[in-house]
Amino acid sequence: VGSDAGDITPENSGGSIKDFSETYPNGTPRSKWSARICPNGRYLLHGEQIDYYEDTSKQHQVTFENGRKTGTETYWHPDGSIAWTWQRDLKTNRGIWTHYWPNGKKKVESAWNLRPEPRDLKRQFFGYVAQGPSRHWDEQGNLTASYDFVNGNLADTESEKP
């Protein structure tokens, strides 16, 4: 944990990509995904992963790029409404996490750094640290609070009420 060695070097090529799946006892799909099996035996999720409820409706969908989540990730409630989404950009290492009320309106939206530098070590790592605005709305869509984070710390201890 305290090592200066950093994260394992990402592997972006070589090996083979294989498809996998799992089913419920009744035979309906539970999950489908793919992974890169690297020459050294390392297993990296790569490509689309979809998880299903037993009634075959989507529960969760995400895309991986050599072990890292990228693009849009969505989680649905059993009734089909969206619970939350992530928007990740691996080129900028930025992400937006949005939670929704049952009526579909935004509940919370927050900004994240996907490749931060620890506050007490001088190296970068793959992980998530709050970085930027976090906004909160009530069920009617009215902004109720606004916060700003810098390197995982709340920038202002007082919430800004609109």
Side-chain angles (χ1 to χ4, degrees):
V1 171
S3 170
D4 291 332
D7 281 345
I8 296 172
T9 304
E11 295 184 51
N12 300 320
S13 62
S16 60
I17 297 174
K18 298 188 182 215
D19 293 327
F20 299 90
S21 65
E22 182 180 332
T23 59
Y24 285 101
N26 68 5
T28 61
R30 177 180 234 152
S31 188
K32 295 179 183 180
W33 70 98
S34 57
R36 177 185 302 282
I37 312 301
C38 300
N40 64 2
R42 194 166 170 203
Y43 176 100
L44 297 172
L45 292 170
H46 188 80
E48 187 174 68
Q49 175 185 331
I50 303 175
D51 302 306
Y52 301 91
Y53 288 106
E54 200 162 359
D55 70 1
T56 71
S57 61
K58 280 187 190 176
Q59 179 184 44
H60 176 246
Q61 184 172 3
V62 63
T63 301
F64 287 88
E65 187 175 310
N66 297 306
R68 293 187 70 198
K69 292 179 178 181
T70 187
T72 302
E73 178 181 12
T74 305
Y75 185 88
W76 291 269
H77 292 290
D79 69 5
S81 63
I82 295 175
W84 53 260
T85 61
W86 268 100
Q87 297 289 331
R88 294 183 186 86
D89 183 340
L90 297 185
K91 289 185 174 115
T92 63
N93 287 304
R94 311 299 291 157
I96 302 292
W97 192 16
T98 307
H99 292 252
Y100 298 90
W101 290 103
N103 66 8
K105 292 186 183 279
K106 284 184 185 180
K107 183 176 188 178
V108 177
E109 185 172 84
S110 53
W112 295 78
N113 178 355
L114 308 180
R115 188 135 198 254
E117 182 176 291
R119 290 181 288 269
D120 55 346
L121 296 173
K122 294 299 173 200
R123 68 174 181 88
Q124 288 188 316
F125 66 95
F126 293 112
Y128 298 177
V129 171
Q131 178 69 32
S134 176
R135 307 291 178 251
H136 301 239
W137 294 269
D138 63 21
E139 286 188 80
Q140 290 71 45
N142 301 305
L143 187 63
T144 60
S146 179
Y147 306 92
D148 284 301
F149 288 86
V150 176
N151 198 22
N153 291 314
L154 189 58
D156 181 13
T157 58
E158 295 292 319
S159 69
E160 302 167 19
K161 300 282 182 175

